[in-house]
Structures are given as C-alpha cells and as structure tokens.
Amino acid sequence: IMRRYYTRVCNFYYGKESKLLLSKKKALPLNNNREISFDHIEIISRQSKKKISIKKINSLPKLLKKQIILDLKNIKLKKKNFASLNFQKIPNIMGVLNLTPDSFSDGRKFNTKKKGINHALQMFRSGANIIDVGGESTRPGSISVNEKIEWRRLEKIIRFISKKIPLSLDTRKSEIMKKGIKLGVKIINDVSGFAYDDKTINLLKKYKIPFVIQHSQGTPENMQNKPSYKNELLDIYDFFEDKIKFLRSIGIKHNNIIIDPGIGFGKNLKHNMNLISNISIFHSLGFPILVGISRKRFIKDISRKNDTKNRIGGTVASSIYLMMQGVQILRIHDVSELLQGLKVFKELFKN
C-alpha cells in the first residue's frame, strides 16, 4: 500500500501582499479568496515531514503528486456561505452565550432571560456573525444535565432571539436539537461529534441543517484524565475524514459542515499547541474550520503567573495566529475586545 500523506498549507500571505503575489502567480489562494494565499506546503506522513514550495509540486513522484493535487483542489475551492457566515471574510466570529450556572468562565453570568438576551444582542452588535447558545456545561469534569433542565435554560432565549440573530445551538441531545431547529436555530454544534446520543445523526439527516463536527476524546467527566494519541494531528484528521465518509454513506450529502478540532476536549497542553500551530492541515478536508480557544486552559498553562481571569491576552494572540492560518470561524466570549485586536492587526497589513 502506498503510505498515506497529508498536505498542510503554510507560509500564508495576507491582504495587500497576498493580492500582489497572486497576480504574479507566486502563491495560491485559500478558498479562492484573494485576501489570503500561501506559497508552501508541508507534506506529512506518520513517519516524516517535508516542507516544499508550491513550485516544486510538479517534480514530486507521480502518485504522491496526485494525492497532493487532490488536496490542493479542496484547499483552493471557494466555500459556499451558509447560516449567515461569510467565508470570503476571515475570520467569522461565533459569540458564546452560556446559559448555565456552571460554565468554566462565565457560569451564572448570563443565565437569566434578560441578561442572556442582552448579552447576545450586545455580542451581535459588536460584530459577532452568529451566537452559540448552550444550556449544559461541557467543561472538563462536568456532568451531563437532565434534558428538561437544559431545555428550560434555553427555550425562552432561543424563542426571543432566533428571530433577530442567527443562532447556533450547542447541545449533545437530539430532543434539544429538534426543539431548537423548530425555533429557527441555524447550526447544530455538538461537542461530542454526535457520539453522545445516537439519535442525533438521523436528526441531522432529516432536517438537512448545517452542523459542526467537533472532535473530543472521552466525555467531559473524564476527558482530561491523561488523554493520549499516537499522533494527535493526524489521528484527529483521520477522525474527521472517517466521520464525513460515514455521514455521506447514510445520505447526508450537503456541504454545510464545519469542523472543529476541539481544543481542550481530551487534550493536554502539548496536544493543544500542536493542533493550533498546525491547524492549516485541516483545510485539506475542504470544509470551514472552527476553533474555540477563548479563555481556555492552555492559555493559563503557558502564561502561568500572568494568568488573568478572562485570558483576553492569550485569546487575542491565538486568534490572530489562527486568522493568519486561514481559520474561518473563531468561537469567542469577548467579542468586542477580540475584534478590536483583529481590526488593528489587519489595518497594519494594509500599509
């Protein structure tokens, strides 16, 4: 059998510089977007890694070249917009609204109807493209919540704001998904990758709704007890590939799918850092990438004595890095602060 190779696009250019290199045919566009392009790829296998310029692709061995060219087709393809997300604009912002008493960073803050609605509207006005509402905490160590309680936390708010703002629903349970879809949510975001409740997959098929496939190892109760991988980057890539094959095989044919490597979900600091720094490997799957880094534990692990309550510094730094790797959606608590950082950074690239 031929060894399996993976293509990671790298060496990105942004803004003015990107357009210039594209016009000289010195770079290739990501998702047919002239604002962001690349001129190198890293060819990765479970045994090796090699970075080459896009000019050298033609001199690769025939079979390998064929694999790489197929990947590049996915990488260059323009993404169709869905659920009020615009993939020609990188990044889109998914604002986080936790309607839970126990979420790790904002539990109890927004769990009354009025506070929740105000916070959602405020994030949307600040520039979030979509708001992700959740009624069950899935932080490390958390325990599953009864369905009735979860729906009670969500219902009024979804009813009130789904008419005004695009919503994504963060839940693992098919019944909650169904009720949410009927009230107009645009995306289903299940942190278990549709493994928690076996009825969820048929629901996706029936309603043809856009959804996020997230990778997680274990369940929130146990996922941080010594997570391990042979190779987290490639194992998680294979997980997505297999999942998508499976979904295709049961008849989900649409492409309104987002993939999320699940930072902090059954991953230690080394796993998280490897995933974030090599995030652009997932472009080869051909779907928009969503990453949730906001306020996560890896920021504390790195910053140690400089850890602050909201971890905005670490969130902004990693978000800028992810934007520069072409990540299409960032899941964020502090929308205004983050957009401030991105706007300043982008402006510097125009000059």
Side-chain angles (χ1 to χ4, degrees):
I1 323 176
M2 182 177 165
R3 186 185 293 177
R4 171 70 205 268
Y5 288 95
Y6 302 78
T7 310
R8 182 175 83 83
V9 284
C10 46
N11 221 27
F12 284 96
Y13 298 93
Y14 206 81
K16 205 162 129 186
E17 200 176 5
S18 168
K19 289 178 184 158
L20 182 69
L21 287 168
L22 286 168
S23 67
K24 294 182 173 172
K25 302 223 180 327
K26 286 189 172 168
L28 293 171
L30 178 73
N31 306 153
N32 200 15
N33 181 349
R34 300 191 64 77
E35 289 284 324
I36 182 165
S37 58
F38 58 92
D39 67 3
H40 277 67
I41 61 171
E42 188 172 42
I43 301 171
I44 304 173
S45 78
R46 291 194 177 255
Q47 285 76 33
S48 63
K49 259 184 188 184
K50 186 182 174 199
K51 215 172 249 188
I52 64 165
S53 134
I54 52 172
K55 292 198 229 23
K56 298 220 172 96
I57 293 170
N58 275 329
S59 50
L60 291 169
K62 204 168 142 193
L63 277 171
L64 175 58
K65 181 174 137 183
K66 203 173 142 186
Q67 265 194 34
I68 304 289
I69 285 173
L70 270 174
D71 282 347
L72 283 172
K73 206 177 122 185
N74 271 341
I75 292 161
K76 293 189 299 189
L77 204 64
K78 183 176 177 179
K79 302 265 169 283
K80 279 208 187 74
N81 296 337
F82 58 85
S84 75
L85 299 167
N86 172 7
F87 299 119
Q88 291 308 98
K89 185 192 111 212
I90 289 178
N92 288 265
I93 304 296
M94 177 183 271
V96 181
L97 179 60
N98 287 320
L99 303 172
T100 51
D102 60 339
S103 281
F104 78 101
S105 72
D106 53 8
R108 285 226 172 85
K109 243 172 127 176
F110 308 114
N111 65 336
T112 63
K113 182 181 163 192
K114 194 177 157 200
K115 280 185 198 161
I117 288 169
N118 287 343
H119 188 55
L121 290 168
Q122 190 194 338
M123 287 191 288
F124 189 65
R125 280 187 216 115
S126 301
N129 303 75
I130 192 161
I131 306 295
D132 193 38
V133 287
E136 173 183 61
S137 173
T138 47
R139 71 184 197 293
S142 62
I143 293 157
S144 181
V145 165
N146 168 304
E147 208 169 89
K148 284 193 177 67
I149 295 174
E150 187 178 341
W151 185 242
R152 194 182 319 141
R153 291 172 182 172
L154 291 165
E155 182 182 16
K156 287 188 187 112
I157 294 197
I158 293 178
R159 232 176 243 290
F160 187 80
I161 55 182
S162 64
K163 296 177 184 64
K164 301 177 172 57
I165 304 180
L167 290 183
S168 149
L169 177 56
D170 174 357
T171 182
R172 303 182 287 172
K173 305 186 182 81
S174 56
E175 270 310 298
I176 307 268
M177 290 176 189
K178 194 157 135 190
K179 289 173 171 165
I181 293 167
K182 293 195 165 147
L183 289 184
V185 302
K186 299 262 190 285
I187 296 180
I188 295 295
N189 180 15
D190 174 352
V191 298
S192 78
F194 305 101
Y196 178 83
D197 171 347
D198 51 18
K199 293 194 192 78
T200 52
I201 299 263
N202 283 329
L203 197 87
L204 294 180
K205 190 179 163 180
K206 181 178 170 190
Y207 290 100
K208 299 186 173 59
I209 186 161
F211 56 88
V212 179
I213 303 173
Q214 188 191 296
H215 175 275
S216 60
Q217 193 180 87
T219 62
E221 287 108 293
N222 64 25
M223 64 189 179
Q224 290 310 91
N225 308 348
K226 299 198 177 64
S228 77
Y229 298 86
K230 279 199 185 82
N231 175 327
E232 57 280 4
L233 193 62
L234 304 185
D235 292 357
I236 291 171
Y237 190 100
D238 291 348
F239 159 83
F240 287 128
E241 208 168 51
D242 294 343
K243 197 73 152 178
I244 286 154
K245 266 192 197 127
F246 168 68
L247 294 170
R248 296 295 188 229
S249 76
I250 63 150
I252 294 175
K253 296 286 186 252
H254 68 71
N255 280 333
N256 300 345
I257 297 172
I258 294 166
I259 54 174
D260 174 358
I263 300 302
F265 282 83
K267 287 143 191 114
N268 63 26
L269 177 63
K270 182 180 92 49
H271 302 146
N272 287 326
M273 293 315 285
N274 192 17
L275 281 166
I276 294 171
S277 57
N278 294 290
I279 194 77
S280 59
I281 191 173
F282 298 110
H283 288 306
S284 309
L285 289 161
F287 297 97
I289 303 165
L290 172 125
V291 185
I293 31 82
S294 190
R295 301 182 182 175
K296 291 223 167 135
R297 161 113 193 224
F298 78 92
I299 297 171
K300 172 188 173 192
D301 291 341
I302 294 168
S303 58
R304 297 213 172 116
K305 68 167 190 275
N306 303 108
D307 189 36
T308 53
K309 188 170 139 301
N310 279 347
R311 299 179 185 161
I312 290 178
T315 299
V316 173
S318 39
S319 295
I320 288 174
Y321 180 84
L322 291 164
M323 172 178 87
M324 295 299 287
Q325 299 291 310
V327 168
Q328 291 91 345
I329 312 161
L330 299 173
R331 188 176 179 278
I332 296 293
H333 296 85
D334 305 286
V335 173
S336 243
E337 290 80 351
L338 180 81
L339 283 169
Q340 179 186 68
L342 295 185
K343 278 177 182 166
V344 171
F345 189 84
K346 281 182 174 177
E347 194 57 38
L348 293 168
F349 262 82
K350 281 182 185 157
N351 299 316

